[in-house]
Amino acid sequence: MTILFDQERSLFHLQAKDTSYVIHVLEKGYVAHLYWGKKIRGTQLNRLLELKPRASFSPSDASSDYKLTLDALPQEYPGYGRGDSRYPAFHAQLPNGSTISDFRYAGHRIVQGKPGLPGLPATYTESEDEAQTLELTLKDELTGLTAVLSYTAFEQHNAITRSVRFVNEGSGVLELKSALSMSLDLPNDEFDMLQLSGAWARERYVHKRKLVPGMQSVESRRGSSSHMQNPFIALLSDGATEDHGDVYGVNLVYSGSFTAGVEVDQFHTARLFIGINPFDFNWRLEPGEQFQTPEAVLVHSEHGLGGMSRSFHDLYRTRLTRGAFRDKTRPILVNNWEGTYFDFNAEKIEGIARSGKELGIELFVLDDGWFGKRDSDNSSLGDWFVHSKKLPNGLEDLVSRVKAMDMEFGLWFEPEMISPDSELYRAHPDWCLHVENRSRTESRNQLILDVSREDVQEYIVKVVSGILASAPITYVKWDMNRNMTEIGSALLPAERQRETAHRYMLGLYHVLERITSAFPHILFESCSGGGGRFDPGMLFYMPQTWTSDNTDAVSRLKIQYGTSLVYPISSMGAHVSEVPNHQVGRSPSLETRGNVALSGNFGYELDLTKISEEEKETMKEQVALYKEVRHLVQFGDFYRLLSPFEGNETAWMFVSKDQSEAFVVFVSVLQEPNAKLNRFRLKGLDAKRDYKLQGTESVYGGDELMYAGLATPQFHGDFASKVYHFHAIG
Ligand code: DGJ
């Protein structure tokens, strides 16, 4: 039983693997949040509700009872206008123009397993005994607005998921101005808020700040989850670190504009929330209509950030990503983008693929520029037919030549886009997001298809499926290279224009579901100018994401470290590219470029026909090493050892689930003369077992490696690195 219902006390106690989450329905029907944290047995948990009399500036609907003011009640899904002046979880407008609502408990049911979210990505169960779901119904009697709050507790994962389904059971039209996926009130504000923020080529840097009174939030208004903010925040209790202390992480399974934040109120409580960004959002609910919010994933860890990350990784690797590649090791690839950009022909591509084969690489990926008349980024998006000058014998011929080398073939698409200079645009100028009579803002010379439209969805499914069916393609890179402007749809009436951005996401998810399920043998990797849409929504359809357009090994330390806070290593694409690096001009050694890239889904992204014999030998060794360790990297437990945000050295490691094998990566950025003799400690090993370091005769105790650590390697030269592969003996 993962959800206990104490009828006498009107209490729901959700128990995930090591987590408890407690909800209490008060006599008046208000739904209070009592606890989220380390698992407790739970006897009389209503004791956890502590109410203090508050002054009359916090109104109470029972004037005799100043203790019960909504302004101080810890709540599960607070509304607006009846005494709680904190940030509401939803905001609805009634036919009379009022935006006041009053949700009270109206019933509940507990079901085995986890019902899916219609049209939206979400975590799932494979059998009904893996989880239980509580559906708690709240109703505003005056208007008929109903919200069904769903909570799933996973038996084998430290995760509670939440989402909300609104139903208009009234007789008038209602408008949702805001509909967050979750909200809860923590009893105090003694936390740091951690966020993953950045920019193109600098994604998901770790930022932390102490909570202060008022609002602190991160949000995207870009129509995608974005490079700038990730739909994730964590609260770290006072003193919590990488390995110790309570950490509370929330992540939104959504790829569009979002908000995530904390409001600290006058009584020092902290309201934590995440959901679709209410900014420029409005959803009309006719009588009988429903609105489903995306899912929020809540992870508590008492073992610091590391424990939180491993819980997210396990859940996402096994119960968010899907398809044939969920549990399969991922191929080593070579992508031609940084090697050729738009300047290639069939011979060049065959040459790169053949050189890749000699190194042991398993998959060749043809990037941008193979279609229409695309010789630069100023045309042809939408014209998904082969570029006859570059590939005169067609795509099928090229694919079969690469396949004949015993290499798999992958292809790049950017299906959500349209170039003004394209046959598609000349035929359908109204198919892009736009607003009547306003000029259309271009970005990288392109506009965005209005994927909220069914005819556009059909077009994308048809053209992409046609190409995938035309040749034995086994990998797709699905790119998306701009953010939204003039968010409007030619097909929606005025009163529904502000639904466009969310309808776009629903349309996109529909398209992705159709294409990925029709081609289950294809490995899909999502991309948005690198990591501009690195979120769990995309991972539901495509198990991996191109982490960043920045392929510099030193920059990647921070990018991959930050990304690993939430997302599994098996979701991160990481490639060795040429030096000087195209994005930052830095020149780390091939060895270090390899060691950083093999800490993800490994590949190369350079012109392999131009490398020296010496480089070839090093690459062969890298490829062979990755084949040896990829089961650890992609499916093992990940431990961060030294943070690139805190010092000159970065280290992380991967440990097999049975603790019999471990792979450690250590990188030192700048050398310091006469540096101190440091040691760095490993994690996650079995203290009682001995481990042999591969390539040596040295045997170390697991306890020695974890408590005394390894001597920090000494290097001569900057951007140096070393890897260690341990096997348990006996
Ligand atoms: C952006 C991607 O992140 C790159 O890897 C590459 O595919 C380009 N787009 C191609 O236009």
Side-chain angles (χ1 to χ4, degrees):
M1 282 282 267
T2 51
I3 299 181
L4 313 165
F5 175 48
D6 178 344
Q7 190 152 13
E8 193 190 325
R9 298 181 181 85
S10 298
L11 227 135
F12 298 95
H13 183 175
L14 287 66
Q15 294 188 317
K17 189 171 162 224
D18 304 314
T19 303
S20 281
Y21 189 105
V22 184
I23 300 165
H24 181 29
V25 181
L26 305 192
E27 227 170 89
K28 289 176 167 238
Y30 298 126
V31 180
H33 172 79
L34 294 200
Y35 179 76
W36 174 29
K38 186 176 169 143
K39 200 177 213 168
I40 48 180
R41 274 176 296 126
T43 45
Q44 296 173 28
L45 292 177
N46 50 324
R47 276 186 303 229
L48 291 170
L49 181 64
E50 203 192 333
L51 296 175
K52 289 192 182 139
R54 298 295 186 188
S56 61
F57 270 92
S58 292
S60 165
D61 74 341
S63 52
S64 56
D65 185 0
Y66 280 110
K67 276 186 179 174
L68 186 59
T69 158
L70 293 183
D71 211 21
L73 183 71
Q75 291 179 78
E76 278 295 320
Y77 204 68
Y80 166 72
R82 304 274 297 166
D84 187 350
S85 304
R86 295 169 289 176
Y87 193 63
F90 73 102
H91 194 196
Q93 185 167 323
L94 321 179
N96 67 3
S98 153
T99 57
I100 291 158
S101 29
D102 189 359
F103 269 164
R104 308 285 177 114
Y105 169 85
H108 76 271
R109 65 177 195 137
I110 295 171
V111 296
Q112 277 304 124
K114 183 170 191 289
L117 266 56
L120 284 167
T123 56
Y124 58 87
T125 52
E126 280 197 334
S127 70
E128 294 217 320
D129 54 3
E130 290 181 8
Q132 282 191 327
T133 299
L134 165 67
E135 292 182 348
L136 203 59
T137 303
L138 311 183
K139 188 162 186 173
D140 182 357
E141 282 302 337
L142 186 69
T143 60
L145 182 61
T146 300
V148 182
L149 313 186
S150 288
Y151 300 80
T152 297
F154 285 86
E155 194 144 311
Q156 296 302 326
H157 293 276
N158 274 322
I160 305 280
T161 60
R162 289 186 57 176
S163 65
V164 183
R165 187 173 79 249
F166 284 90
V167 188
N168 181 355
E169 292 183 354
S171 53
V173 176
L174 300 171
E175 284 184 36
L176 291 174
K177 311 251 149 228
S178 154
L180 300 183
S181 296
M182 66 78 60
S183 169
L184 61 82
D185 295 319
L186 294 165
N188 62 60
D189 59 354
E190 286 152 23
F191 297 98
D192 280 344
M193 177 174 128
L194 182 146
Q195 65 194 65
L196 300 175
S197 309
W200 174 80
R202 182 169 42 78
E203 298 93 335
R204 290 171 299 286
Y205 274 28
V206 178
H207 295 266
K208 223 164 55 171
R209 51 176 142 159
K210 207 156 184 47
L211 290 185
V212 293
M215 185 66 104
Q216 36 253 289
S217 65
V218 294
E219 51 185 291
S220 163
R221 290 178 291 276
R222 294 174 176 271
S224 67
S225 49
S226 88
H227 298 91
M228 296 77 195
Q229 303 292 358
N230 197 259
F232 163 81
I233 53 172
L235 292 182
L236 282 67
S237 60
D238 253 356
T241 62
E242 177 63 25
D243 301 302
H244 303 285
D246 286 308
V247 174
Y248 302 81
V250 293
N251 192 202
L252 190 67
V253 187
Y254 192 58
S255 315
S257 297
F258 72 91
T259 182
V262 179
E263 186 181 26
V264 173
D265 78 343
Q266 55 187 329
F267 309 122
H268 296 282
T269 67
R271 174 163 289 175
L272 172 66
F273 58 86
I274 196 164
I276 292 179
N277 198 335
F279 177 79
D280 203 31
F281 170 86
N282 192 77
W283 198 274
R284 216 173 135 81
L285 278 182
E286 302 277 346
E289 281 187 346
Q290 306 197 355
F291 178 81
Q292 174 66 58
T293 74
E295 173 166 291
V297 179
L298 287 68
V299 169
H300 166 262
S301 160
E302 59 162 330
H303 301 297
L305 284 168
M308 177 201 74
S309 300
R310 284 184 291 282
S311 289
F312 273 117
H313 293 181
D314 281 345
L315 179 72
Y316 286 177
R317 208 167 35 205
T318 60
R319 293 294 179 267
L320 174 72
T321 54
R322 302 174 300 164
F325 280 89
R326 186 189 75 180
D327 307 321
K328 258 202 224 167
T329 51
R330 310 290 165 73
I332 301 174
L333 64 80
V334 53
N335 174 306
N336 71 304
W337 178 242
E338 286 198 22
T340 65
Y341 294 107
F342 294 104
D343 184 16
F344 61 83
N345 57 26
E347 287 69 48
K348 181 81 208 169
I349 293 307
E350 275 183 70
I352 296 178
R354 192 169 302 106
S355 309
K357 178 68 199 170
E358 281 170 29
L359 302 177
I361 292 173
E362 299 152 319
L363 163 71
F364 171 80
V365 179
L366 178 57
D367 211 280
D368 196 352
W370 60 267
F371 53 92
K373 51 182 182 64
R374 189 146 165 106
D375 295 319
S376 73
D377 62 14
N378 64 11
S379 83
S380 304
L381 292 168
D383 295 348
W384 298 108
F385 46 82
V386 83
H387 191 307
S388 53
K389 285 210 183 98
K390 287 184 190 172
L391 307 177
N393 299 324
L395 191 62
E396 217 185 319
D397 177 73
L398 179 64
V399 179
S400 65
R401 282 165 190 276
V402 172
K403 292 288 276 191
M405 300 171 197
D406 195 23
M407 285 275 269
E408 297 297 320
F409 189 93
L411 195 59
W412 178 97
F413 290 92
E414 197 177 353
E416 298 158 68
M417 296 292 146
I418 182 164
S419 304
D421 180 6
S422 66
E423 291 183 17
L424 186 68
Y425 191 74
R426 285 182 278 277
H428 299 285
D430 61 335
W431 270 17
C432 62
L433 291 177
H434 67 279
V435 174
E436 196 69 32
N437 300 325
R438 284 211 182 274
S439 62
R440 302 174 181 190
T441 308
E442 292 177 21
S443 176
R444 208 194 189 205
N445 309 306
Q446 62 200 58
L447 298 166
I448 303 183
L449 281 171
D450 177 2
V451 186
S452 72
R453 294 171 62 131
E454 273 178 34
D455 48 4
V456 170
Q457 293 165 19
E458 286 307 317
Y459 174 77
I460 296 176
V461 171
K462 195 168 134 240
V463 286
V464 174
S465 304
I467 293 160
L468 297 183
S470 72
I473 293 164
T474 56
Y475 166 103
V476 164
K477 178 174 173 187
W478 185 292
D479 206 348
M480 198 276 193
N481 283 303
R482 59 162 293 181
N483 291 146
M484 292 182 184
T485 53
E486 295 90 35
I487 305 175
S489 173
L491 294 192
L492 289 174
E495 65 275 16
R496 288 200 183 268
Q497 282 298 322
R498 287 167 70 194
E499 298 175 9
T500 308
H502 181 60
R503 285 185 183 276
Y504 178 100
M505 295 319 307
L506 295 177
L508 173 63
Y509 291 147
H510 173 70
V511 163
L512 293 179
E513 182 66 35
R514 284 177 61 187
I515 295 177
T516 55
S517 59
F519 297 92
H521 64 286
I522 292 183
L523 171 59
F524 286 85
E525 174 158 334
S526 81
C527 173
S528 177
R533 225 169 32 182
F534 204 135
D535 58 63
M538 295 310 284
L539 288 178
F540 181 70
Y541 303 97
M542 312 195 184
Q544 54 189 63
T545 303
W546 178 225
T547 314
S548 176
D549 273 348
N550 188 340
T551 53
D552 168 58
V554 174
S555 308
R556 276 295 186 118
L557 295 174
K558 286 185 177 162
I559 295 169
Q560 292 176 201
Y561 188 100
T563 306
S564 80
L565 263 285
V566 190
Y567 304 105
I569 307 305
S570 59
S571 67
M572 287 189 222
H575 301 169
V576 172
S577 60
E578 73 174 22
V579 287
N581 175 268
H582 295 192
Q583 294 79 39
V584 297
R586 203 163 11 228
S587 297
S589 67
L590 180 53
E591 192 187 5
T592 292
R593 282 178 276 153
N595 289 341
V596 175
L598 55 77
S599 306
N601 291 327
F602 186 61
Y604 290 87
E605 186 156 335
L606 71 174
D607 186 349
L608 290 178
T609 62
K610 291 187 181 152
I611 56 172
S612 68
E613 283 306 312
E614 197 189 336
E615 287 173 317
K616 211 182 257 179
E617 288 315 305
T618 307
M619 289 181 183
K620 276 187 189 164
E621 285 165 22
Q622 291 172 337
V623 168
L625 173 62
Y626 192 68
K627 287 180 182 169
E628 252 180 50
V629 298
R630 69 175 145 189
H631 64 285
L632 290 175
V633 172
Q634 296 171 8
F635 303 118
D637 285 333
F638 181 66
Y639 291 88
R640 290 177 292 266
L641 308 178
L642 298 171
S643 167
F645 295 99
E646 286 165 15
N648 189 42
E649 287 151 351
T650 299
W652 48 53
M653 69 186 285
F654 310 86
V655 184
S656 63
K657 290 277 176 195
D658 65 0
Q659 295 171 301
S660 67
E661 213 184 334
F663 183 64
V664 183
V665 178
F666 181 98
V667 183
S668 166
V669 177
L670 297 178
Q671 292 324 307
E672 206 184 70
N674 290 317
K676 41 182 175 181
L677 284 177
N678 264 343
R679 300 184 74 80
F680 70 106
R681 293 176 180 182
L682 307 195
K683 297 176 189 172
L685 301 173
D686 184 340
K688 294 197 193 75
R689 291 167 90 175
D690 287 337
Y691 293 86
K692 186 164 181 223
L693 177 60
Q694 187 166 310
T696 73
E697 289 307 313
S698 302
V699 173
Y700 300 80
D703 50 358
E704 179 189 344
L705 291 170
M706 291 195 293
Y707 312 146
L710 283 169
T712 300
Q714 301 294 305
F715 299 108
H716 190 70
D718 294 337
F719 320 133
S721 65
K722 183 169 168 138
V723 296
Y724 308 76
H725 190 182
F726 290 99
H727 297 268
I729 49 173

